[in-house]
């Protein structure tokens, strides 16, 4: 039988949080059954302890790779469980629990940082693609126009956003009618869309 004390609630949360990112199917099948979770830990305690010990000794949270089927919701549950654990109570109960908690906190932090970097990387890639498309449009507009490329782009983009992309000849016609006035040209270009 497991030892009882104020740390047992936190130890159970630590076990559940770890299993959420290492064996999510076990957590789903066990539900709230603490015995089933404990049974899984007992079956794989050697493997889990070796990974935790390696991560604690090396001070590297990368020591454990999450299961490939871990969902974002499971990561969020893991973070919530780790955040609710009283580290001081665990430290008083066991240095191993305390180290485990520190390690799992770092793993959760690294996951958040990695997710943030991925979204920023995707946004940068999308911005780069948009810039290339704009440069291509500007190059296609040519230098033989009496209007600035920035003005041509601004009016062309407004027309495109209004659902009426303009060909070069239409863009030049609109700009000539507006006598180079951006506001008037955008109004002319977008009124054609409606």
């Amino acid at each position: 039988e497991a030892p009882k004390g104020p740390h047992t609630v936190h130890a159970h949360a630590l076990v559940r949080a770890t299993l959420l990112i290492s064996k999510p199917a076990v957590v789903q099948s066990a539900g709230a059954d603490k015995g089933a979770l404990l049974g899984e830990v007992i079956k794989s305690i050697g493997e889990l302890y070796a990974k935790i010990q390696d991560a604690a000794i090396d001070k590297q949270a990368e020591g454990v790779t999450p299961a490939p089927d871990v969902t974002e919701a499971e990561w969020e549950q893991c973070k919530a469980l780790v955040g609710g654990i009283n580290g001081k109570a665990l430290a008083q109960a066991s240095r191993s629990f305390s180290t485990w908690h520190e390690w799992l906190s770092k793993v959760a932090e690294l996951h958040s940082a990695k997710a943030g970097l991925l979204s920023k990387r995707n946004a940068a890639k999308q911005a780069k693609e948009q810039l290339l498309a704009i440069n291509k449009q500007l190059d296609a507009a040519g230098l033989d126009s009496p209007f600035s490329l920035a003005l041509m782009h601004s009016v062309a983009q407004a027309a495109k956003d209004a659902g009426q992309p303009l060909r070069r000849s239409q863009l030049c016609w609109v700009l000539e009618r507006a006598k180079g006035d951006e506001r008037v040209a955008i109004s002319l270009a977008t009124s054609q869309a409606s």
Side-chain angles (χ1 to χ4, degrees), residues 22-88:
S22 61
K23 297 184 178 187
V26 170
V27 176
Q28 291 169 359
S29 66
D33 183 0
K34 292 178 184 179
L37 288 177
L38 199 52
E40 182 57 41
V41 171
I42 290 169
K43 283 194 290 186
S44 58
I45 195 70
E47 175 189 334
L48 284 171
Y49 183 75
K51 288 180 178 182
I52 292 164
Q53 186 179 29
D54 289 345
I57 290 171
D58 295 339
K59 299 286 185 203
Q60 295 179 4
E62 300 90 57
V64 177
T65 304
D69 58 342
V70 177
T71 66
E72 199 56 39
E74 289 161 338
W75 274 108
E76 291 304 316
Q77 288 175 358
C78 174
K79 289 180 210 171
L81 285 169
V82 169
I85 292 173
N86 182 338
K88 290 180 182 177

Side-chain angles (χ1 to χ4, degrees), residues 76-160:
E76 291 304 316
Q77 288 175 358
C78 174
K79 289 180 210 171
L81 285 169
V82 169
I85 292 173
N86 182 338
K88 290 180 182 177
L90 282 178
Q92 290 174 351
S94 161
R95 177 72 184 132
S96 295
F97 278 150
S98 179
T99 302
W100 187 353
H101 180 244
E102 290 171 18
W103 165 80
L104 194 53
S105 297
K106 291 294 181 193
V107 169
E109 284 177 32
L110 284 174
H111 174 75
S112 295
K114 183 178 177 184
L117 286 175
L118 287 175
S119 67
K120 288 178 184 174
R121 186 178 297 145
N122 289 338
K125 182 181 177 184
Q126 190 176 32
K128 186 177 180 179
E129 288 170 358
Q130 288 175 344
L131 181 60
L132 287 173
I134 289 169
N135 284 334
K136 197 179 224 183
Q137 287 176 347
L138 290 175
D139 289 343
L143 299 175
D144 59 340
S145 172
F147 305 105
S148 74
L149 294 176
L151 174 63
M152 293 176 75
H153 172 71
S154 176
V155 174
Q157 187 64 45
K160 183 179 177 184

